[in-house]
Amino acid sequence: MSRLRALWQASVNATRRAIVWNSEDLIPPSEKYIFNFNSKDELKRWHLYSDSEYGGLSSASLEITDGGAGGDTSSTGLFSGNLSLDMSEGSTWKIRRSGFCGMRSKKFNGFIDLDAYDTIAMKLRGDGRCYISTIYTENWVNSPGQQEDNSWQAFVYLPQDRWQIMKIPLDSYLPTWRGNVIEAKMEMNPARVVGMSLSVNAEGGVPGAKTGPGDFRLEVDWIKALRTL
């Protein structure tokens, strides 16, 4: 009888372990770090691009610097460079505009699921220019024959030399195709995010922002997803 009871108790315990859930699995935390620029290892997760790939003369760099974001951290990311509207002499590329640079994350290992969140938050210090925040999701809006990810963009305007936490609701990101807004009603699929980027153009942006060729400088402390609703 004692052996049967022991087997029964073991079965009950196993069943209890199977049905007990972790509350964090059921209700995700209110915020989720996506990128944290507190070490040089973070640089391995990003690559740079600019119009120089198409005959332009803009340039960019990304590094980890000491100094702190408002005194509460020791290291931050620094995305900086120079925007040029000129083209290299003899270039055979025929691009519509030059004067752009960007930092884009390398593709995640699969994708990250942000379906439980409604806002992207970034701690940044800018230079008065308008930057562009882009979220890349798995391709399901475009035709299956296209290999490019879907891109969703929002402006990020930062007054000069002041740390700010920018919060952008996910539903404020607009679907774009090669930098142009797609004039169609679409919804992002936040459960299939494959990458992100921050970029800057010499022209365009929001009223009041610094524009034109010249140097740019954007410091990045972290990027998070938030659940605010």
Side-chain angles (χ1 to χ4, degrees), residues 155-209:
F155 284 131
V156 179
Y157 170 59
L158 298 158
Q160 189 168 355
D161 296 331
R162 191 168 71 223
W163 282 104
Q164 287 193 321
I165 296 178
M166 304 296 297
K167 297 180 180 180
I168 309 174
L170 288 177
D171 58 14
S172 293
Y173 282 82
L174 300 177
T176 61
W177 170 250
R178 298 185 179 179
N180 297 309
V181 175
I182 298 174
E183 298 295 341
K185 187 172 178 60
M186 299 178 181
E187 292 186 4
M188 180 194 300
N189 182 4
R192 312 288 285 191
V193 174
V194 297
M196 294 184 174
S197 73
L198 286 167
S199 59
V200 60
N201 296 328
E203 300 176 329
V206 301

Side-chain angles (χ1 to χ4, degrees), residues 14-36:
T15 302
R16 285 175 176 170
R17 287 194 298 269
I19 64 174
V20 170
W21 61 82
N22 187 319
S23 62
E24 289 191 357
D25 293 334
L26 185 64
I27 304 175
S30 59
E31 63 179 40
K32 175 186 180 74
Y33 271 103
I34 305 173
F35 299 105
N36 196 346

Side-chain angles (χ1 to χ4, degrees), residues 119-122 165-169 226 228:
T119 299
I120 295 297
M122 296 173 278
I165 296 178
M166 304 296 297
K167 297 180 180 180
I168 309 174
L226 303 180
T228 65

